[in-house]
DNA sequence: CTGTTAGCGCTTTCAA
DNA sequence: TTGAAAGCGCTAACAG
């Protein structure tokens, strides 16, 4: 059907079809089973002599043999493939590390990832899952680009699946998410250790798990140090630069403004920077700021560099696939809810409070 | 081997193996060929009556039949799969749109993408290609995360391949890259149209195609408007914030500083903003700035918003796969070098020059 | 130690 | 209008 026999001049044998195991067997003067055995490293078990192995390998080399994974998979009833469904790869910098982590874990197990990005479109998603199922994927990673709750297609229950950066009401699914709370604790404690006691919180108005959990961590950290939580020190806005700017402005205009700010995310933190600058404040001398997410560009452009909390995207991706492979192999457990720590990335936006000489030399 | 027969209580038949075409055929009381015909939409051609089709479809539904793509592929000698090799997905925001574009084009043709990310490691790359070849991919997209020259493994010549955001000495490969030059022309013309005549250029010291081509576009635009290119107005630095800051500083400290700056990229442009601010200059009143790349966060955080040039990542990804599918189908041509335009994104960092009353009301 | 044989699940002539 | 049969390329009993 195809006409790709244009430049076949050195090969007198014109291989309309790629060489297969039979060709190798013929050349090596063995049977196809022997070829299969040798190529799958089972030669030793069956006591095939080195000489035969050599002959086979040479033949493989000679004809440029490449085993057909579809045929092997069909026979062996495996595909060594795992499906990766994600919502919105294109518009977030978080996708890269998650995919990379997933990919690395898969690679170590000689599995391959097939990725489809649904653009958050339900029908695309359903068709994608169906396609993957037809391709005999051994399991699914269902990933979202920000931590949220999802409603899952029922088919995912039929086959090992893990939720990456999201969770479901259905607790039979394994999920891996950032430990938002402990991340916020770390950021807040960092501020507390620098001597701050009057700490504001810039909250997002988005109703997402990270919102609650980070605030919760903030409160916990205060409490554990015996600092009362003051609801007036929480200002809310959209989780972008502008929201941070406005929320921070309202806090900084308070009669007794906070000396430090924990921000829902880096973008809001950047907004807080601007609000502070507009008021002639210098960070961290007049105001300490901690962000969340460690978005590369934000920390690159804030001046001074932003102290923030890292989201463990790579690690989550890696963990997701590792757990999935466990489920597939029958070893690992399903239905577990794993949280991965969000390490603090201390940079230069945190210092001691201005009017607290006691902690001048603490940081 | 697997023990997933926990909640099989309504199904009295315990399906240790998933239903296949034979099961469907049995239930519908037809042969497997008929099932195949119906499912592949060839029923009409063969004149299979509606009633039979119905019976088959019902049976499919009943048993929850899902065609095995590996078996079909084996038989049909196709995989409907294309391999996507990329260097460094994790560390760049450009990956998302490229993958998305590739993915969308593949999706429309009912192909699926298998992606592996080599981390720029040669041995990983070679093994990845080998794995994909074994999986019978129908072609390759070889992508890099910034426009550059690559040396390609010879195997890629055996099978349709297209280079995405990179090029090779070997011109038999199709490649798609951004039209850097015309992008720079657009940015420069925008500045010229605003009335600027003394325009500086912030160049990267990286030796990459984009460096030459953007500068070339800058020169061309000047020339076409009869403005002499002044080499003293080109300052070089690393293509990051710091390099932009330094390069811009040197230009702004000139006896007769430029009234506008074209920057190799947005990060350098952000550095230029800071350099201007440090000198008490207000953008765009005292200095107009144009960037390149349209990195979301940069334009979000510069104040005023940065006028820049968009890199066509999505379009390139889409084009790459579209061309590849053409090659596979035997229609499209190989060996073509395609460039995609980089549209100007006009925002607020460009205005008329301060001391040029003639163009006060032009912009 | 090696080969024969029987499929994996599907598509596709070809014959009825 | 439908079915039987032959294989795609490989693996894995089982037999020698």
């Amino acid at each position: 059907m195809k006409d790709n026999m244009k430049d076949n001049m050195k090969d007198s044998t014109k291989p309309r079809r790629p060489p297969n195991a039979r060709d190798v067997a013929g050349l090596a003067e063995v049977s196809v089973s022997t070829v299969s055995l040798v190529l799958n490293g089972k030669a030793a078990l069956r006591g095939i002599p080195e000489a035969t192995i050599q002959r086979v390998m040479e033949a493989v080399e000679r004809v440029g043999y490449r085993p057909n994974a579809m045929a092997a998979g069909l026979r062996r009833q495996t595909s060594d493939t795992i499906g990766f469904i994600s919502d919105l790869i294109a518009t977030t910098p978080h996708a890269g590390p998650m995919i990379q982590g997933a990919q690395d874990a898969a690679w170590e197990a000689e599995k391959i990832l097939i990725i489809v990005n649904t653009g958050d479109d339900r029908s695309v998603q359903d068709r994608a899952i169906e396609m993957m199922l037809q391709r005999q994927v051994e399991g699914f990673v269902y990933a979202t680009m920000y931590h949220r709750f999802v409603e899952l297609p029922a088919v995912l229950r039929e086959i090992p699946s893990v939720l990456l950066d999201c969770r479901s009401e259905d607790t039979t699914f394994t999920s891996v998410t950032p430990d938002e709370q402990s991340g916020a604790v770390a950021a807040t404690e960092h501020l507390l250790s620098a001597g701050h006691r009057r700490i504001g919180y810039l909250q997002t108005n988005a109703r997402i798990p990270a919102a609650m959990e980070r605030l919760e961590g903030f409160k916990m950290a205060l409490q554990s140090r015996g600092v009362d939580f003051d609801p007036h020190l929480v200002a809310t806005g959209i989780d972008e630069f502008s929201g941070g700017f406005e929320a921070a402005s309202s806090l900084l205009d308070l009669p007794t403004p906070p000396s430090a700010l924990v921000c829902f995310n880096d973008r809001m933190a950047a907004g807080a920077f601007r609000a502070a600058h507009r008021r002639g404040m210098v960070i961290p001398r007049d105001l300490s700021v901690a962000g969340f997410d460690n978005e590369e560009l934000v920390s690159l452009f804030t001046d001074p560099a932003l102290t923030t909390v890292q989201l463990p995207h790579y690690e989550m991706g890696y963990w997701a696939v590792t757990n999935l492979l466990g489920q597939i192999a029958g070893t690992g457990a399903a239905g577990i809810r794993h949280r991965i720590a969000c390490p603090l990335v201390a940079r230069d936006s945190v210092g001691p409070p201005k009017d607290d000489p006691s902690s001048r030399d603490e940081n």
Side-chain angles (χ1 to χ4, degrees), chain A:
Chain A
M1 236 114 257
K2 293 169 190 163
D3 41 14
N4 48 7
M5 51 190 310
K6 214 182 296 177
D7 45 350
N8 280 352
M9 26 194 61
K10 52 181 174 183
D11 262 16
S12 54
T13 58
K14 39 194 144 167
R16 171 148 255 51
R17 89 177 146 58
N20 60 25
R22 197 152 57 241
D23 300 333
V24 174
L27 219 167
E29 299 181 295
V30 295
S31 73
V32 290
S33 351
T34 304
V35 173
S36 171
L37 258 11
V38 169
L39 257 36
N40 292 302
K42 286 174 190 147
L45 279 73
R46 301 287 244 79
I48 293 177
E50 191 55 36
T52 309
I53 297 183
Q54 281 306 331
R55 268 207 332 282
V56 171
M57 293 313 268
E58 270 162 31
V60 164
E61 206 62 30
R62 281 277 302 283
V63 302
Y65 173 61
R66 195 140 41 208
N68 182 324
M70 294 203 319
L74 178 59
R75 177 60 234 243
R76 209 191 270 134
Q77 299 286 63
T78 59
S79 61
D80 289 330
T81 298
I82 90 161
F84 188 104
I85 315 267
S86 72
D87 53 354
L88 294 162
I89 265 187
T91 48
T92 146
H94 299 153
M98 288 206 294
I99 294 175
Q100 182 77 56
Q103 151 79 59
D104 287 356
W107 185 256
E108 285 170 20
E110 311 252 75
K111 307 284 182 187
I112 216 160
L113 238 45
I114 81 187
I115 298 183
V116 6
N117 192 252
T118 63
D120 226 358
D121 176 327
R122 201 78 191 186
S123 76
V124 170
Q125 173 186 287
D126 291 347
R127 286 191 51 217
I129 291 176
E130 188 57 31
M131 265 178 102
M132 288 178 168
L133 251 11
Q134 293 186 184
R135 279 155 198 264
Q136 317 296 112
V137 294
E138 298 176 356
F140 282 104
V141 172
Y142 187 98
T144 57
M145 292 307 147
Y146 68 93
H147 182 177
R148 59 178 174 130
F149 268 88
V150 290
E151 236 184 283
L152 294 165
V155 262
L156 291 195
R157 224 153 306 163
E158 297 172 16
I159 167 178
S161 299
V162 0
L163 308 186
L164 173 49
D165 202 21
C166 52
R167 284 191 289 142
S168 158
E169 302 289 355
D170 181 342
T171 56
T172 61
F173 286 105
T174 287
S175 70
V176 53
T177 50
D179 189 345
E180 315 273 5
Q181 193 168 305
S182 79
V185 165
T188 310
E189 279 187 343
H190 184 62
L191 258 16
L192 288 163
S193 297
H196 297 275
R197 290 298 173 268
R198 201 166 162 71
I199 306 179
Y201 189 89
L202 265 40
Q203 171 70 317
T204 174
N205 57 15
R207 319 195 86 265
I208 54 181
M212 328 297 209
E213 296 175 21
R214 291 179 191 178
L215 181 57
E216 206 48 52
F218 173 71
K219 290 181 186 171
M220 278 178 54
L222 291 183
Q223 190 170 33
S224 75
R225 294 284 193 110
V227 177
D228 282 340
F229 168 71
D230 180 353
H232 297 105
L233 255 31
V234 175
T236 299
I238 67 166
D239 50 7
E240 289 292 343
F241 183 93
S242 62
F245 178 80
E246 285 154 21
S249 298
S250 74
L251 254 26
L252 295 179
D253 290 341
L254 248 28
T256 339
S259 66
L261 255 24
V262 173
C263 307
F264 171 74
N265 69 9
D266 288 353
R267 296 171 183 225
M268 292 188 83
F273 268 60
R274 181 105 97 226
H277 289 152
R278 287 279 161 89
R279 283 162 182 74
M281 303 172 88
V282 172
I283 292 171
R285 193 194 63 194
D286 307 312
L287 181 72
S288 288
V289 177
F292 211 114
D293 285 1
N294 195 23
E295 286 203 66
E296 183 214 355
L297 286 173
V298 178
S299 34
L300 214 64
F301 291 127
T302 56
D303 183 22
L306 180 66
T307 288
T308 185
V309 173
Q310 170 84 48
L311 251 17
H313 290 299
Y314 179 91
E315 291 76 9
M316 294 195 299
Y318 194 93
W319 192 94
V321 168
T322 304
N323 174 277
L324 184 62
L325 293 175
Q327 288 187 51
I328 293 167
T331 53
I336 88 181
R337 162 144 162 59
H338 187 66
R339 265 172 281 230
I340 296 186
C342 302
L344 181 77
V345 180
R347 285 196 276 248
D348 312 315
S349 63
V350 173
K354 205 172 183 175
D355 46 4
D356 178 22
S358 79
S359 57
R360 257 299 122 75
D361 45 20
E362 243 193 55
N363 188 17

